[in-house]
Amino acid sequence: MIEAARSLGARLNTSQVLLLTLAMLFWGGNTIAGRLAIGEVSPMVIVFLRWIIVAVLMGVLMRGRLIEEWPLARPHLPAMIAMALFGFVGFNILFYIAAYYTSAINLGIIQGSMPALVLAGTVLVFRAKVKWLQLAGILVTIIGVALVAAQGNFANLAKLEINPGDGIMLIASLFYAGYTLALRNRPKLSGLVFFTLLSIISAVASVPAVIYEMAAGTAIWPGLTGWAIVLFIALFPSLLAQIYFMRGVELIGPGRAGVFINLVPIFSAILAVVLLGEPFRWHHAVALVLVLGGIWLSERKNAGSLQ
């Protein structure tokens, strides 16, 4: 039994397709957890507890390497604090707030716009050359996200009748896109040490948010069901998905690994329909095709560059 488990673990560690697919499945499952958390545990409490759990687990497992690599990390603490605030704390707070106002399907589709947002940021921030098809991909993705935000009727945009949850999720996606862009110049630490430090920073940074929620009288601490949701979020979307994704990047590189993010809205939509019974409407299907098609166009490599 032990030998079989080791063999399975070894195969998983070298299978980039399985690693990355599982990571996207876990991230897709996070949209379901966000919806299930409503009434069971409040957004700020979720973020605080998830990063406390991850920080403790990773801190124990990585304590030796943390001490060893701390001199390399210390000069980059301000940058890592900013990355944790936007990518881990800010994104997740907005994500779970958005879950109160919109469906898991919408959350997944809008989250699927991140690759195009990152591409746009690469052009704006790093002055990278953009290809014609990449520009088309960005525009198509934006149309897909706008269709979801407009609930299938673009006239709603003119009337500013947008689901607030969709707008919040779009802001959250912008936060995470900024975090992803910052990874380009991240400190030269091992991936697991870097993730552990961001987790610790995130746990500390989420304390004021919990205090605010408690002062406002809106904090909901988990019961049995709430703890099950929190543990799922901490262990799967927060811990295993991050580790699997980092390992996948090591095996095939960030460019090819990033393509797998396209699976998040697909898994989100399937899980939402199967587990939550959410209706899958025509504009969801069209938006899903637009977002995935836009990402596919954005990643094409054989188009002429705009000068």
Side-chain angles (χ1 to χ4, degrees), residues 16-33 95 103-112 232 237 241 244 257 259-278 280 284 288 291-292:
Q16 64 269 20
V17 173
L18 184 55
L19 284 167
L20 292 168
T21 300
L22 285 174
M24 300 311 124
L25 176 61
F26 296 158
W27 281 336
N30 193 38
T31 63
I32 309 303
F95 181 94
S103 68
I105 293 175
N106 285 23
L107 290 174
I109 292 175
I110 295 174
Q111 190 175 351
F232 169 81
Y244 288 176
V259 175
F260 282 79
I261 295 176
N262 302 350
L263 293 173
V264 172
I266 295 175
F267 283 138
S268 297
I270 293 172
L271 292 171
V273 172
V274 173
L275 299 179
L276 300 180
E278 290 187 358
F280 190 78
H284 291 132
L288 199 56
V291 169
L292 295 180

Side-chain angles (χ1 to χ4, degrees), residues 72-87:
L72 293 174
R74 186 168 49 195
H76 302 282
L77 270 181
M80 286 193 290
I81 290 172
M83 293 173 74
L85 285 174
F86 282 91

Side-chain angles (χ1 to χ4, degrees), residues 6-249:
R6 287 177 179 172
S7 176
L8 181 62
R11 286 200 298 271
L12 176 62
N13 196 48
T14 56
S15 174
Q16 64 269 20
V17 173
L18 184 55
L19 284 167
L20 292 168
T21 300
L22 285 174
M24 300 311 124
L25 176 61
F26 296 158
W27 281 336
N30 193 38
T31 63
I32 309 303
R35 293 288 293 168
L36 291 174
I38 297 173
E40 299 290 345
V41 53
S42 54
M44 312 301 179
V45 172
I46 295 177
V47 174
F48 171 70
L49 292 177
R50 75 181 284 180
W51 291 120
I52 283 289
I53 292 169
V54 174
V56 170
L57 287 175
M58 292 301 297
V60 171
L61 292 173
M62 302 298 297
R63 60 187 182 279
R65 292 177 63 180
L66 278 172
I67 295 171
E68 179 182 337
E69 297 189 35
W70 175 246
L72 293 174
R74 186 168 49 195
H76 302 282
L77 270 181
M80 286 193 290
I81 290 172
M83 293 173 74
L85 285 174
F86 282 91
F88 285 9
V89 179
F91 169 80
N92 284 294
I93 286 175
L94 293 176
F95 181 94
Y96 295 119
I97 291 175
Y100 274 71
Y101 301 102
T102 193
S103 68
I105 293 175
N106 285 23
L107 290 174
I109 292 175
I110 295 174
Q111 190 175 351
S113 68
M114 284 185 194
L117 294 174
V118 171
L119 174 61
T122 301
V123 174
L124 294 173
V125 176
F126 298 112
R127 305 299 180 185
K129 291 183 178 180
V130 62
K131 299 176 181 179
W132 287 105
L133 284 180
Q134 290 177 321
L135 180 61
I138 293 173
L139 295 176
V140 169
T141 300
I142 290 172
I143 292 172
V145 172
L147 182 63
V148 171
Q151 302 172 56
N153 184 0
F154 283 115
N156 288 334
L157 295 179
K159 301 174 186 176
L160 295 179
E161 294 179 3
I162 300 174
N163 184 324
D166 296 338
I168 293 170
M169 187 61 219
L170 183 56
I171 295 172
S173 297
L174 289 170
F175 275 21
Y176 203 84
Y179 160 77
T180 303
L181 290 171
L183 287 175
R184 180 168 176 165
N185 297 315
R186 78 170 180 84
K188 303 302 180 183
L189 305 170
S190 61
L192 289 177
V193 169
F194 178 70
F195 173 61
T196 301
L197 286 172
L198 287 190
S199 300
I200 294 171
I201 293 169
S202 297
V204 175
S206 61
V207 171
V210 174
I211 293 174
Y212 169 80
E213 201 172 54
M214 292 173 65
T218 57
I220 302 175
W221 293 93
L224 186 60
T225 301
W227 270 114
I229 294 169
V230 168
L231 288 174
F232 169 81
I233 291 171
L235 296 177
F236 291 94
S238 304
L239 182 61
L240 290 179
Q242 292 284 358
I243 292 173
Y244 288 176
F245 187 72
M246 284 190 293
R247 176 57 180 162
V249 170

